[in-house]
Amino acid sequence: MPAATPVPRGPTLPVLYTAADLLTGPGCPVCRYAGESSDRYLAWFALEAHADTMTVTRLCSSLGMCSRHTRGLIRQPGAARRLTAVYRYLVRAARDRLSGQRGQLASCPACEHDDGASGRALETLLEGLAADGPVRDRYRKLGGLCLPHLQSASARGGRQVIAWLAQATTAAVGAGAASSGWLAGTDHDARPRVALLQAASRAGVPAGPDVCLACLASARAEHDCLARMARSDGRGEPDPRLVLCAGHLGDLIVLAGQRAAAALLTWQAASLVAGLTGPSGRPGPSGRPGLWRAGKPGGPADWLRPWRGRGGQGGRGGQGGCAVCLSAAAAARQAVGNLRAQLGAADPVPGRQVPLMPLCVRHLLGLAAAAPPAGKMAVPAALGHANALIAELDEAFGKGTWARRDEARGQEMTAWRRAAAFLDGSVFCGRPPHET
């Protein structure tokens, strides 16, 4: 009798030897490769990695995955039992951080995996395009890169290849061959994320331990910026400052709907190409493809200037970052600053503690690092909430075992969702998880 196929000890990657391995069907070849790699990673996590010591330890160093990948884990079958076990460790790691454990949070391991897969595919594709004429012909026939990966390619490829890629995109858009099916990229989280953004934009979010005002303010700023762009229907002049990152481009297309998607993508493509080549079609001012400073006073980017002037790092779009990312980051900083000011205005009683602050762990750690006195006042209540969540998670995990299978189940069975909101409010855009 043949032996069963062993469970892989790590996430597998699709076969990739040459650019021809990528150009197998219509649409963005990098999206197709990176998407399959990401699916394999999340499937591997569900099958084995959630119980692997090294993987859980790595997750503790980052306090879980980013909001996008966390939502992907939540949508998987069997997520409740699996994530209950994982969050028992993550909340304990967060408690240690709040108690004063030093060290910078690591990045999301799933993002590192996805970025590695995208980078590998881009390098392979660019090498093939630079050396092989038939590869270029096939690339042009199948559609080419989406806008986010075209932007990523601009930092990797040579001057001539990037200029050719920009021309190919312009030709595809001008001929009407471009569609939202590949120009906007592939982001399966876009629709759930937009639904959360729309919910966050409404007034009346109740106070409670599962609300993060910074994440809520960030989500509302995102929705406001995206709604303004969607209402423009792509009628503005091309402006490289308004090129969006991959996530927010997907949000824009979902929010605008099919009616305006084509015009908005055409506008984004023209803005990106103008940033890569300059208004005359030549490379940027540095002598190589780069973001060209463009835009007329009074143009469509003017309403973003108050946000952009406050600094911050956003996504990878636009002159200095995605405009929506910058606006969201500024709104979150403002919300944390307001809470910090409220703590500063409180009576300076030695050892005074305050009730649980409406901030997730990530923003609370930022507050404690920026203003240690405010952190000393706010952290004790968060530690108490972490201990309560740990007790609920332990109880829920115990009731998932065979020995306790017949015990009554209550609120503790949803503790894993509340733990996700406690660690990172952006998973639910600052709102309580039970309302999404």
Side-chain angles (χ1 to χ4, degrees), residues 194 197-198 201 218-228 255:
V194 168
L197 291 176
Q198 290 174 325
S201 67
S218 175
R220 286 174 171 171
E222 287 179 87
H223 184 269
D224 180 59
C225 292
L226 291 168
R228 291 190 187 206
L255 192 63

Side-chain angles (χ1 to χ4, degrees), residues 2 5 33 42 46 62 64 88 107 111 132 137 175 191 195 197 206 222 239 241 255 267 322 333 360 380 387 393 400:
T5 302
Y33 182 86
L42 294 181
S62 59
R88 293 172 67 212
S107 59
C111 286
D132 195 344
D137 294 338
R191 290 191 180 279
L197 291 176
E222 287 179 87
D239 192 334
R241 295 172 297 176
L255 192 63
W267 170 60
C322 168
R333 286 196 303 272
C360 64
N387 287 329
L393 289 165

Side-chain angles (χ1 to χ4, degrees), residues 7-197:
V7 176
R9 298 298 302 176
T12 60
L13 289 172
V15 174
L16 178 59
Y17 297 110
T18 65
D21 297 324
L22 293 169
L23 301 174
T24 58
C28 176
V30 178
C31 278
R32 186 163 48 252
Y33 182 86
E36 184 178 348
S37 299
S38 181
D39 290 344
R40 292 187 183 195
Y41 182 90
L42 294 181
W44 169 73
F45 182 89
L47 287 172
E48 180 186 11
H50 68 278
D52 178 71
T53 302
M54 294 183 62
T55 301
V56 173
T57 301
R58 172 62 181 83
L59 282 175
C60 287
S61 69
S62 59
L63 297 185
M65 296 187 187
C66 67
S67 58
R68 178 171 66 90
H69 284 109
T70 299
R71 286 189 291 267
L73 297 179
I74 289 174
R75 291 193 293 268
Q76 289 180 325
R81 179 173 297 184
R82 187 160 48 245
L83 295 183
T84 293
V86 171
Y87 276 115
R88 293 172 67 212
Y89 298 98
L90 298 188
V91 177
R92 283 181 168 86
R95 183 181 61 183
D96 293 340
R97 292 271 183 176
L98 293 170
S99 299
Q101 184 185 78
R102 296 186 178 182
Q104 188 175 4
L105 289 180
S107 59
C108 169
C111 286
E112 290 182 352
H113 178 270
D114 291 356
D115 289 345
S118 298
R120 183 184 180 211
L122 272 175
E123 293 289 349
T124 303
L125 179 66
L126 292 174
E127 288 177 5
L129 291 174
D132 195 344
V135 171
R136 290 193 178 192
D137 294 338
R138 178 129 181 101
Y139 172 92
R140 191 184 291 108
K141 179 180 179 181
L142 294 176
L145 292 173
C146 64
L147 296 183
H149 284 129
L150 174 60
Q151 187 177 357
S152 298
S154 68
R156 295 173 176 268
R159 173 177 175 178
Q160 293 182 345
V161 173
I162 299 306
W164 182 86
L165 287 172
Q167 293 171 2
T169 299
T170 301
V173 172
S179 68
S180 58
W182 63 270
L183 261 186
T186 303
D187 187 354
H188 299 300
D189 187 51
R191 290 191 180 279
R193 190 168 58 238
V194 168
L196 289 168
L197 291 176

Side-chain angles (χ1 to χ4, degrees), residues 98-99 354 364 368 374-384:
L98 293 170
S99 299
V354 298
L364 188 56
K376 288 182 179 180
M377 296 172 63
V379 162
L383 288 174

